Amino acid sequence: MDAENIWLVIGFLGQGLFSARFIVQWLKSEREKKSVFPIAFWYFSIAGGITLFAYAVHRQDPVFIVGQLTGLFIYLRNLYFVIYEPKNLKVE
């Protein structure tokens, strides 16, 4: 397998991880009969975002690079809130 095919696999892997977050979120929401964002949603977002960012850098696509960087910041910030929110509530 040559380098371009490996990068194509990485791109599809990232897209798969990114899409999996919607399936996880949908299944959790169906179980609870309301819109819910499980913590796995943010982990899949970050894993997919990092993989797609690497793919975008390899492809030298500035639109895709900026889009993934912006998304990664938001996913990391949301995960931070999810992880530290219970601790903040105990302090107050």
Side-chain angles (χ1 to χ4, degrees), residues 10-42:
I10 290 171
F12 276 117
L13 174 66
Q15 191 60 52
L17 289 168
F18 211 66
S19 298
R21 68 192 185 136
F22 290 116
I23 294 170
V24 168
Q25 193 273 331
W26 172 60
L27 292 174
K28 180 75 172 173
S29 295
E30 286 293 330
R31 260 189 228 125
E32 297 197 20
K33 303 294 182 205
K34 63 181 181 180
S35 182
V36 176
F37 287 91
I39 195 166
F41 179 88
W42 301 114

mmCIF file of all heavy atoms in Angstrom, residues 10-42:
data_model
loop_
_atom_site.group_PDB
_atom_site.id
_atom_site.type_symbol
_atom_site.label_atom_id
_atom_site.label_comp_id
_atom_site.label_asym_id
_atom_site.label_seq_id
_atom_site.Cartn_x
_atom_site.Cartn_y
_atom_site.Cartn_z
ATOM 1 N N ILE A 10 -6.646 6.728 6.477
ATOM 2 C CA ILE A 10 -6.704 7.611 7.648
ATOM 3 C C ILE A 10 -7.895 8.566 7.525
ATOM 4 O O ILE A 10 -8.618 8.794 8.498
ATOM 5 C CB ILE A 10 -5.379 8.382 7.811
ATOM 6 C CG1 ILE A 10 -4.275 7.407 8.245
ATOM 7 C CG2 ILE A 10 -5.517 9.535 8.808
ATOM 8 C CD1 ILE A 10 -2.871 7.999 8.234
ATOM 9 N N GLY A 11 -8.108 9.108 6.352
ATOM 10 C CA GLY A 11 -9.243 10.011 6.138
ATOM 11 C C GLY A 11 -10.577 9.320 6.377
ATOM 12 O O GLY A 11 -11.462 9.861 7.043
ATOM 13 N N PHE A 12 -10.719 8.114 5.869
ATOM 14 C CA PHE A 12 -11.968 7.370 6.083
ATOM 15 C C PHE A 12 -12.116 6.959 7.547
ATOM 16 O O PHE A 12 -13.226 6.968 8.086
ATOM 17 C CB PHE A 12 -12.042 6.144 5.177
ATOM 18 C CG PHE A 12 -12.547 6.464 3.805
ATOM 19 C CD1 PHE A 12 -11.735 6.278 2.687
ATOM 20 C CD2 PHE A 12 -13.828 6.951 3.604
ATOM 21 C CE1 PHE A 12 -12.185 6.585 1.419
ATOM 22 C CE2 PHE A 12 -14.296 7.261 2.339
ATOM 23 C CZ PHE A 12 -13.467 7.078 1.240
ATOM 24 N N LEU A 13 -11.003 6.622 8.207
ATOM 25 C CA LEU A 13 -11.053 6.287 9.633
ATOM 26 C C LEU A 13 -11.557 7.492 10.433
ATOM 27 O O LEU A 13 -12.438 7.367 11.292
ATOM 28 C CB LEU A 13 -9.669 5.858 10.138
ATOM 29 C CG LEU A 13 -9.561 5.623 11.647
ATOM 30 C CD1 LEU A 13 -10.395 4.424 12.077
ATOM 31 C CD2 LEU A 13 -8.098 5.428 12.044
ATOM 32 N N GLY A 14 -11.000 8.657 10.153
ATOM 33 C CA GLY A 14 -11.433 9.875 10.843
ATOM 34 C C GLY A 14 -12.903 10.165 10.599
ATOM 35 O O GLY A 14 -13.644 10.508 11.525
ATOM 36 N N GLN A 15 -13.324 9.992 9.358
ATOM 37 C CA GLN A 15 -14.738 10.245 9.051
ATOM 38 C C GLN A 15 -15.629 9.242 9.762
ATOM 39 O O GLN A 15 -16.712 9.583 10.240
ATOM 40 C CB GLN A 15 -14.964 10.189 7.532
ATOM 41 C CG GLN A 15 -16.320 10.692 7.116
ATOM 42 C CD GLN A 15 -16.534 12.147 7.521
ATOM 43 O OE1 GLN A 15 -15.716 13.020 7.235
ATOM 44 N NE2 GLN A 15 -17.632 12.422 8.202
ATOM 45 N N GLY A 16 -15.165 7.985 9.857
ATOM 46 C CA GLY A 16 -15.933 6.959 10.575
ATOM 47 C C GLY A 16 -16.066 7.285 12.052
ATOM 48 O O GLY A 16 -17.147 7.157 12.632
ATOM 49 N N LEU A 17 -14.952 7.700 12.681
ATOM 50 C CA LEU A 17 -14.991 8.083 14.096
ATOM 51 C C LEU A 17 -15.912 9.283 14.291
ATOM 52 O O LEU A 17 -16.683 9.346 15.249
ATOM 53 C CB LEU A 17 -13.584 8.423 14.594
ATOM 54 C CG LEU A 17 -12.621 7.256 14.746
ATOM 55 C CD1 LEU A 17 -11.195 7.764 14.964
ATOM 56 C CD2 LEU A 17 -13.054 6.373 15.906
ATOM 57 N N PHE A 18 -15.817 10.236 13.397
ATOM 58 C CA PHE A 18 -16.633 11.440 13.493
ATOM 59 C C PHE A 18 -18.116 11.108 13.359
ATOM 60 O O PHE A 18 -18.951 11.636 14.081
ATOM 61 C CB PHE A 18 -16.186 12.417 12.400
ATOM 62 C CG PHE A 18 -16.350 13.845 12.760
ATOM 63 C CD1 PHE A 18 -15.607 14.411 13.783
ATOM 64 C CD2 PHE A 18 -17.228 14.641 12.075
ATOM 65 C CE1 PHE A 18 -15.761 15.739 14.115
ATOM 66 C CE2 PHE A 18 -17.386 15.971 12.389
ATOM 67 C CZ PHE A 18 -16.649 16.519 13.413
ATOM 68 N N SER A 19 -18.442 10.210 12.445
ATOM 69 C CA SER A 19 -19.845 9.817 12.239
ATOM 70 C C SER A 19 -20.361 8.960 13.387
ATOM 71 O O SER A 19 -21.551 9.014 13.709
ATOM 72 C CB SER A 19 -19.988 9.048 10.923
ATOM 73 O OG SER A 19 -19.627 9.876 9.846
ATOM 74 N N ALA A 20 -19.490 8.169 14.018
ATOM 75 C CA ALA A 20 -19.909 7.287 15.115
ATOM 76 C C ALA A 20 -20.479 8.076 16.285
ATOM 77 O O ALA A 20 -21.352 7.591 17.004
ATOM 78 C CB ALA A 20 -18.742 6.428 15.582
ATOM 79 N N ARG A 21 -20.001 9.298 16.466
ATOM 80 C CA ARG A 21 -20.508 10.101 17.587
ATOM 81 C C ARG A 21 -22.005 10.365 17.457
ATOM 82 O O ARG A 21 -22.718 10.410 18.450
ATOM 83 C CB ARG A 21 -19.742 11.411 17.705
ATOM 84 C CG ARG A 21 -19.995 12.343 16.547
ATOM 85 C CD ARG A 21 -19.036 13.506 16.523
ATOM 86 N NE ARG A 21 -19.424 14.404 15.468
ATOM 87 C CZ ARG A 21 -19.476 15.705 15.587
ATOM 88 N NH1 ARG A 21 -19.122 16.276 16.717
ATOM 89 N NH2 ARG A 21 -19.853 16.458 14.595
ATOM 90 N N PHE A 22 -22.486 10.531 16.216
ATOM 91 C CA PHE A 22 -23.915 10.770 16.030
ATOM 92 C C PHE A 22 -24.724 9.512 16.343
ATOM 93 O O PHE A 22 -25.825 9.599 16.882
ATOM 94 C CB PHE A 22 -24.205 11.238 14.603
ATOM 95 C CG PHE A 22 -23.708 12.623 14.336
ATOM 96 C CD1 PHE A 22 -22.725 12.844 13.403
ATOM 97 C CD2 PHE A 22 -24.216 13.712 15.024
ATOM 98 C CE1 PHE A 22 -22.251 14.119 13.157
ATOM 99 C CE2 PHE A 22 -23.753 14.987 14.790
ATOM 100 C CZ PHE A 22 -22.764 15.196 13.848
ATOM 101 N N ILE A 23 -24.187 8.363 16.019
ATOM 102 C CA ILE A 23 -24.885 7.105 16.315
ATOM 103 C C ILE A 23 -24.959 6.905 17.834
ATOM 104 O O ILE A 23 -26.011 6.572 18.375
ATOM 105 C CB ILE A 23 -24.172 5.926 15.620
ATOM 106 C CG1 ILE A 23 -24.291 6.081 14.103
ATOM 107 C CG2 ILE A 23 -24.754 4.588 16.081
ATOM 108 C CD1 ILE A 23 -23.435 5.138 13.291
ATOM 109 N N VAL A 24 -23.842 7.167 18.531
ATOM 110 C CA VAL A 24 -23.810 7.040 19.996
ATOM 111 C C VAL A 24 -24.818 8.010 20.632
ATOM 112 O O VAL A 24 -25.574 7.644 21.530
ATOM 113 C CB VAL A 24 -22.380 7.302 20.518
ATOM 114 C CG1 VAL A 24 -22.358 7.468 22.025
ATOM 115 C CG2 VAL A 24 -21.445 6.179 20.098
ATOM 116 N N GLN A 25 -24.829 9.231 20.146
ATOM 117 C CA GLN A 25 -25.739 10.245 20.693
ATOM 118 C C GLN A 25 -27.187 9.874 20.417
ATOM 119 O O GLN A 25 -28.050 9.988 21.287
ATOM 120 C CB GLN A 25 -25.411 11.619 20.086
ATOM 121 C CG GLN A 25 -26.074 12.787 20.787
ATOM 122 C CD GLN A 25 -27.464 13.092 20.255
ATOM 123 O OE1 GLN A 25 -27.766 12.839 19.092
ATOM 124 N NE2 GLN A 25 -28.309 13.623 21.120
ATOM 125 N N TRP A 26 -27.471 9.389 19.228
ATOM 126 C CA TRP A 26 -28.840 9.017 18.861
ATOM 127 C C TRP A 26 -29.327 7.838 19.709
ATOM 128 O O TRP A 26 -30.451 7.874 20.239
ATOM 129 C CB TRP A 26 -28.886 8.684 17.373
ATOM 130 C CG TRP A 26 -30.186 8.120 16.923
ATOM 131 C CD1 TRP A 26 -31.412 8.726 17.000
ATOM 132 C CD2 TRP A 26 -30.396 6.851 16.341
ATOM 133 N NE1 TRP A 26 -32.367 7.892 16.484
ATOM 134 C CE2 TRP A 26 -31.776 6.737 16.062
ATOM 135 C CE3 TRP A 26 -29.559 5.799 15.998
ATOM 136 C CZ2 TRP A 26 -32.316 5.608 15.487
ATOM 137 C CZ3 TRP A 26 -30.113 4.678 15.418
ATOM 138 C CH2 TRP A 26 -31.472 4.595 15.170
ATOM 139 N N LEU A 27 -28.488 6.807 19.871
ATOM 140 C CA LEU A 27 -28.884 5.639 20.663
ATOM 141 C C LEU A 27 -29.158 6.019 22.121
ATOM 142 O O LEU A 27 -30.139 5.567 22.723
ATOM 143 C CB LEU A 27 -27.809 4.551 20.595
ATOM 144 C CG LEU A 27 -27.627 3.872 19.234
ATOM 145 C CD1 LEU A 27 -26.438 2.921 19.260
ATOM 146 C CD2 LEU A 27 -28.900 3.154 18.812
ATOM 147 N N LYS A 28 -28.288 6.863 22.698
ATOM 148 C CA LYS A 28 -28.479 7.310 24.084
ATOM 149 C C LYS A 28 -29.781 8.114 24.210
ATOM 150 O O LYS A 28 -30.544 7.938 25.172
ATOM 151 C CB LYS A 28 -27.280 8.145 24.527
ATOM 152 C CG LYS A 28 -27.354 8.665 25.935
ATOM 153 C CD LYS A 28 -27.079 7.587 26.937
ATOM 154 C CE LYS A 28 -26.954 8.185 28.340
ATOM 155 N NZ LYS A 28 -26.851 7.163 29.359
ATOM 156 N N SER A 29 -30.039 8.976 23.251
ATOM 157 C CA SER A 29 -31.257 9.789 23.283
ATOM 158 C C SER A 29 -32.501 8.926 23.137
ATOM 159 O O SER A 29 -33.515 9.159 23.813
ATOM 160 C CB SER A 29 -31.224 10.843 22.166
ATOM 161 O OG SER A 29 -30.190 11.753 22.399
ATOM 162 N N GLU A 30 -32.436 7.915 22.272
ATOM 163 C CA GLU A 30 -33.582 7.006 22.108
ATOM 164 C C GLU A 30 -33.870 6.267 23.412
ATOM 165 O O GLU A 30 -35.023 6.091 23.778
ATOM 166 C CB GLU A 30 -33.314 6.003 20.976
ATOM 167 C CG GLU A 30 -33.397 6.602 19.603
ATOM 168 C CD GLU A 30 -34.809 7.036 19.222
ATOM 169 O OE1 GLU A 30 -35.786 6.431 19.702
ATOM 170 O OE2 GLU A 30 -34.938 7.999 18.442
ATOM 171 N N ARG A 31 -32.817 5.818 24.102
ATOM 172 C CA ARG A 31 -33.004 5.104 25.366
ATOM 173 C C ARG A 31 -33.655 5.994 26.427
ATOM 174 O O ARG A 31 -34.482 5.546 27.197
ATOM 175 C CB ARG A 31 -31.657 4.613 25.891
ATOM 176 C CG ARG A 31 -31.424 3.175 25.584
ATOM 177 C CD ARG A 31 -30.199 2.633 26.296
ATOM 178 N NE ARG A 31 -29.433 1.933 25.285
ATOM 179 C CZ ARG A 31 -28.177 2.155 24.975
ATOM 180 N NH1 ARG A 31 -27.484 3.028 25.636
ATOM 181 N NH2 ARG A 31 -27.597 1.486 24.021
ATOM 182 N N GLU A 32 -33.258 7.265 26.466
ATOM 183 C CA GLU A 32 -33.763 8.169 27.499
ATOM 184 C C GLU A 32 -34.975 8.980 27.045
ATOM 185 O O GLU A 32 -35.508 9.776 27.815
ATOM 186 C CB GLU A 32 -32.632 9.081 27.981
ATOM 187 C CG GLU A 32 -31.513 8.277 28.637
ATOM 188 C CD GLU A 32 -30.592 9.119 29.471
ATOM 189 O OE1 GLU A 32 -30.972 10.232 29.879
ATOM 190 O OE2 GLU A 32 -29.479 8.641 29.730
ATOM 191 N N LYS A 33 -35.361 8.819 25.795
ATOM 192 C CA LYS A 33 -36.525 9.520 25.234
ATOM 193 C C LYS A 33 -36.398 11.036 25.341
ATOM 194 O O LYS A 33 -37.371 11.755 25.519
ATOM 195 C CB LYS A 33 -37.824 9.057 25.909
ATOM 196 C CG LYS A 33 -38.072 7.576 25.830
ATOM 197 C CD LYS A 33 -38.297 7.129 24.415
ATOM 198 C CE LYS A 33 -38.597 5.632 24.361
ATOM 199 N NZ LYS A 33 -38.271 5.035 23.082
ATOM 200 N N LYS A 34 -35.150 11.527 25.248
ATOM 201 C CA LYS A 34 -34.880 12.971 25.192
ATOM 202 C C LYS A 34 -33.491 13.159 24.595
ATOM 203 O O LYS A 34 -32.706 12.210 24.531
ATOM 204 C CB LYS A 34 -34.961 13.605 26.585
ATOM 205 C CG LYS A 34 -33.935 13.094 27.560
ATOM 206 C CD LYS A 34 -34.113 13.755 28.916
ATOM 207 C CE LYS A 34 -33.043 13.241 29.877
ATOM 208 N NZ LYS A 34 -33.144 13.821 31.190
ATOM 209 N N SER A 35 -33.167 14.373 24.173
ATOM 210 C CA SER A 35 -31.863 14.630 23.569
ATOM 211 C C SER A 35 -30.783 14.640 24.643
ATOM 212 O O SER A 35 -30.825 15.441 25.573
ATOM 213 C CB SER A 35 -31.891 15.975 22.834
ATOM 214 O OG SER A 35 -30.650 16.200 22.209
ATOM 215 N N VAL A 36 -29.815 13.720 24.523
ATOM 216 C CA VAL A 36 -28.743 13.561 25.509
ATOM 217 C C VAL A 36 -27.416 13.472 24.780
ATOM 218 O O VAL A 36 -27.323 12.862 23.718
ATOM 219 C CB VAL A 36 -28.960 12.264 26.324
ATOM 220 C CG1 VAL A 36 -27.812 12.043 27.284
ATOM 221 C CG2 VAL A 36 -30.278 12.300 27.054
ATOM 222 N N PHE A 37 -26.389 14.085 25.363
ATOM 223 C CA PHE A 37 -25.040 13.975 24.817
ATOM 224 C C PHE A 37 -24.180 13.184 25.798
ATOM 225 O O PHE A 37 -23.714 13.738 26.797
ATOM 226 C CB PHE A 37 -24.418 15.365 24.591
ATOM 227 C CG PHE A 37 -25.012 16.079 23.423
ATOM 228 C CD1 PHE A 37 -26.105 16.905 23.594
ATOM 229 C CD2 PHE A 37 -24.486 15.910 22.163
ATOM 230 C CE1 PHE A 37 -26.664 17.558 22.515
ATOM 231 C CE2 PHE A 37 -25.040 16.559 21.074
ATOM 232 C CZ PHE A 37 -26.136 17.382 21.249
ATOM 233 N N PRO A 38 -23.963 11.881 25.534
ATOM 234 C CA PRO A 38 -23.112 11.091 26.431
ATOM 235 C C PRO A 38 -21.656 11.521 26.287
ATOM 236 O O PRO A 38 -21.262 12.097 25.270
ATOM 237 C CB PRO A 38 -23.311 9.657 25.933
ATOM 238 C CG PRO A 38 -23.714 9.792 24.505
ATOM 239 C CD PRO A 38 -24.465 11.089 24.411
ATOM 240 N N ILE A 39 -20.835 11.232 27.298
ATOM 241 C CA ILE A 39 -19.427 11.637 27.268
ATOM 242 C C ILE A 39 -18.706 11.012 26.079
ATOM 243 O O ILE A 39 -17.769 11.610 25.536
ATOM 244 C CB ILE A 39 -18.733 11.316 28.601
ATOM 245 C CG1 ILE A 39 -17.400 12.061 28.684
ATOM 246 C CG2 ILE A 39 -18.545 9.827 28.789
ATOM 247 C CD1 ILE A 39 -16.797 12.072 30.070
ATOM 248 N N ALA A 40 -19.156 9.826 25.626
ATOM 249 C CA ALA A 40 -18.545 9.178 24.453
ATOM 250 C C ALA A 40 -18.675 10.049 23.208
ATOM 251 O O ALA A 40 -17.822 9.993 22.316
ATOM 252 C CB ALA A 40 -19.182 7.818 24.214
ATOM 253 N N PHE A 41 -19.717 10.881 23.151
ATOM 254 C CA PHE A 41 -19.898 11.787 22.018
ATOM 255 C C PHE A 41 -18.679 12.693 21.876
ATOM 256 O O PHE A 41 -18.160 12.900 20.779
ATOM 257 C CB PHE A 41 -21.167 12.625 22.217
ATOM 258 C CG PHE A 41 -21.427 13.610 21.099
ATOM 259 C CD1 PHE A 41 -22.142 13.227 19.982
ATOM 260 C CD2 PHE A 41 -20.962 14.914 21.177
ATOM 261 C CE1 PHE A 41 -22.388 14.126 18.952
ATOM 262 C CE2 PHE A 41 -21.203 15.822 20.161
ATOM 263 C CZ PHE A 41 -21.923 15.422 19.045
ATOM 264 N N TRP A 42 -18.196 13.223 23.020
ATOM 265 C CA TRP A 42 -17.064 14.162 22.960
ATOM 266 C C TRP A 42 -15.754 13.436 22.664
ATOM 267 O O TRP A 42 -14.896 13.958 21.968
ATOM 268 C CB TRP A 42 -16.980 14.971 24.251
ATOM 269 C CG TRP A 42 -18.243 15.736 24.463
ATOM 270 C CD1 TRP A 42 -19.164 15.569 25.453
ATOM 271 C CD2 TRP A 42 -18.786 16.755 23.601
ATOM 272 N NE1 TRP A 42 -20.230 16.408 25.270
ATOM 273 C CE2 TRP A 42 -20.021 17.155 24.148
ATOM 274 C CE3 TRP A 42 -18.356 17.362 22.433
ATOM 275 C CZ2 TRP A 42 -20.824 18.133 23.559
ATOM 276 C CZ3 TRP A 42 -19.154 18.342 21.837
ATOM 277 C CH2 TRP A 42 -20.362 18.712 22.402
#
